[in-house]
Amino acid sequence: MQNSSLPSGGSFGPLSPFINPYLTRISAKGYATRSICDQVCILKMFGRWLKRTGREVRDLTEAVACDFLRRVSRGSYPKEAAPAALRRLLEMLRQIGATPAAKAARPSPSERLTCAYERFLFKERALSQETVTGHRCFVRRFLSEKFGSGPPNLSKLRPLDVTAFVQRHAHRHGPAQARNLVAAVRSFLRYLNYKGLVDRDLSLVVPKVACWSFSVGPKHLAPAQVRQLLHHCDRSTAVGRRDYAVLLLLARLGLRAGEVVRLNLEDIDWENARITVCGKRGKWAQLPLPADVARAIARYLRHDRPRCASRRVFLRNKAPIDGFKSGRAISSIVKAALAKADVVSARKGAHLLRHSMAMDMLRRGASFDEIGEVLRHKCSKSTSIYAKVDLQSLRTLALPWPGRVR
């Protein structure tokens, strides 16, 4: 929407000086014309309401916005878009200093303890945002169930509290998430002991989740299924070409979902056909960029990637236009591609293609050390999961037994 098409400035009350900057901002985020018109309607009503109630821009808070929405709930305006539009407006006003920053609520003792633990995970353990977020969720639940809303009296923590919490919650999750629960609780209890907040290491009593690592091989696709997956990706659309480039990165280089999300424009060295990825714990690695992967990424960047300030290679296709927030978006791309290609798999996340590449390397005669190097495993134990190869695959490689009677 062009700014010249806006109504006269006075119709927005005290918001009038800020409407054009707001529209410039949301236009850059890729909002459709219809959505922008809805937001203009909302801001016009909000500005007039502010004027009637004698409020200025400096008076705006979340409480004022909620009061407006409650009082005009029966009016004729785009109700579904209103809360988000007011939230974006308030965020912009605070960024430019037109409205005071939000008053931070005083954190509870449990929240202060959780925040200190998060800082430890970021600074000392160099864990990813996604891992820290998962740990925080479990730790908050643990503290809440033990201490409620009161201060955490850590001296009252007993082994039975730990085992009971794990037993209550582990069965509600799948094997992988149950292991994440156990890892989070164990990590938090070690932190408490490290900081001297408890007099003994309670992490030793955390129950283990059964995991028969070598009972079956990792879930993976056969090479023909990977080709089928890529073949059925719709490359006639911008989103399809983006997804095709993502799938190629997963299938050819075995990247993790988070590594695809964090990939920036400057991480691709086109002249030397190399790509730099930020792996686990912030470790960087350079990988060769295969020609078909380079072509797919280049086509997406030239013709399909929306223009925006983000440096991420892969962007959302819906407003607000920005990079993906987490690896779940990449896993969703894989899941949709599996369904479209009619490929049946027990596992549907992004790691499926990483495992598939490793198993294909193993079939072609690569050693475990070579596989571990390509996948950038920190220790050989991570690569050892590929030692369990199904017998049917081995039969295709085996030579006939000498002297076998035909």
Side-chain angles (χ1 to χ4, degrees):
M1 170 180 288
Q2 298 298 323
N3 292 347
S4 59
S5 64
L6 293 177
S8 59
S11 62
F12 290 88
L15 296 179
S16 297
F18 306 101
I19 296 302
N20 281 341
Y22 177 84
L23 293 179
T24 299
R25 178 171 296 207
I26 64 172
S27 295
K29 288 290 186 180
Y31 285 92
T33 302
R34 175 62 184 272
S35 175
I36 295 177
C37 289
D38 288 345
Q39 295 181 57
V40 167
C41 175
I42 293 162
L43 297 188
K44 184 188 296 184
M45 290 185 63
F46 187 46
R48 290 175 175 175
W49 180 80
L50 291 174
K51 185 176 181 179
R52 286 199 309 272
T53 56
R55 289 182 171 94
E56 297 295 333
V57 171
R58 63 176 176 273
D59 302 322
L60 295 189
T61 62
E62 284 80 4
V64 171
C66 289
D67 187 28
F68 163 75
L69 294 173
R70 185 170 57 252
R71 292 178 182 276
V72 299
S73 60
R74 296 183 180 179
S76 176
Y77 69 100
K79 296 180 178 61
E80 294 182 358
L86 296 183
R87 186 172 60 250
R88 285 189 288 269
L89 173 69
L90 190 54
E91 178 184 358
M92 184 197 77
L93 293 174
R94 283 172 173 163
Q95 287 177 354
I96 64 178
T99 299
K103 294 181 179 179
R106 188 174 182 180
S108 66
S110 290
E111 191 65 26
R112 288 199 295 272
L113 175 61
T114 305
C115 290
Y117 171 62
E118 286 183 54
R119 289 193 294 271
F120 170 79
L121 294 181
F122 278 124
K123 294 181 179 180
E124 304 297 330
R125 298 291 310 283
L127 298 184
S128 68
Q129 177 66 59
E130 200 165 356
T131 301
V132 173
T133 300
H135 279 35
R136 176 178 61 202
C137 177
F138 290 126
V139 168
R140 280 178 171 173
R141 187 180 302 169
F142 176 68
L143 293 175
S144 175
E145 291 187 10
K146 174 58 183 174
F147 302 108
S149 58
N153 188 350
L154 299 175
S155 62
K156 291 186 177 181
L157 272 181
R158 298 290 181 265
L160 182 60
D161 299 323
V162 176
T163 56
F165 176 80
V166 173
Q167 289 170 353
R168 275 198 308 274
H169 294 284
H171 73 279
R172 301 177 183 176
H173 304 286
Q177 189 69 348
R179 289 194 292 273
N180 291 339
L181 161 67
V182 168
V185 174
R186 187 179 291 122
S187 168
F188 179 63
L189 294 173
R190 285 174 179 165
Y191 167 78
L192 296 181
N193 184 62
Y194 170 71
K195 288 293 185 180
L197 300 175
V198 292
D199 57 6
R200 53 180 168 168
D201 186 4
L202 290 173
S203 69
L204 301 176
V205 305
V206 177
K208 293 184 178 180
V209 175
C211 177
W212 295 277
S213 300
F214 299 99
S215 60
V216 293
K219 298 293 187 298
H220 64 282
L221 301 178
Q225 290 177 304
V226 175
R227 290 193 295 270
Q228 182 179 347
L229 185 75
L230 295 171
H231 176 73
H232 281 81
C233 196
D234 183 8
R235 281 173 273 173
S236 65
T237 67
V239 173
R241 288 187 288 270
R242 179 202 66 187
D243 293 351
Y244 180 70
V246 168
L247 293 171
L248 277 178
L249 279 170
L250 299 173
R252 300 283 191 264
L253 297 180
L255 297 191
R256 302 178 180 93
E259 293 167 349
V260 177
V261 169
R262 292 188 292 270
L263 193 62
N264 288 330
L265 296 172
E266 53 270 20
D267 294 332
I268 303 176
D269 182 355
W270 298 102
E271 291 184 2
N272 299 304
R274 301 190 69 83
I275 188 170
T276 304
V277 298
C278 180
K280 283 187 173 181
R281 303 197 176 189
K283 291 187 176 181
W284 295 86
Q286 277 197 335
L287 302 173
L289 186 62
D292 58 342
V293 181
R295 284 194 299 269
I297 296 176
R299 184 177 183 185
Y300 167 68
L301 294 179
R302 284 191 187 125
H303 306 293
D304 305 310
R305 183 181 181 274
R307 291 187 178 184
C308 74
S310 174
R311 300 297 298 170
R312 298 298 193 197
V313 172
F314 298 107
L315 304 178
R316 288 162 41 93
N317 63 304
K318 294 182 180 179
I321 302 298
D322 207 345
F324 295 117
K325 288 186 177 181
S326 72
R328 292 188 182 92
I330 306 301
S331 291
S332 295
I333 290 174
V334 175
K335 184 177 180 180
L338 288 168
K340 188 176 184 63
D342 199 24
V343 173
V344 179
S345 172
R347 185 165 188 159
K348 303 183 187 300
H351 238 59
L352 174 66
L353 293 177
R354 181 175 170 87
H355 289 321
S356 301
M357 187 196 76
M359 295 298 285
D360 188 43
M361 290 179 64
L362 188 62
R363 288 190 189 95
R364 294 171 181 268
S367 67
F368 289 119
D369 287 341
E370 290 171 331
I371 295 173
E373 184 178 355
V374 171
L375 297 183
R376 291 161 286 117
H377 284 159
K378 184 179 179 181
C379 62
S380 59
K381 184 179 178 181
S382 299
T383 315
S384 63
I385 62 172
Y386 302 109
K388 183 68 180 182
V389 185
D390 62 283
L391 292 177
Q392 189 63 37
S393 297
L394 287 176
R395 288 191 186 101
T396 63
L397 300 176
L399 296 174
W401 189 261
R404 180 181 176 183
V405 178
R406 295 179 181 271

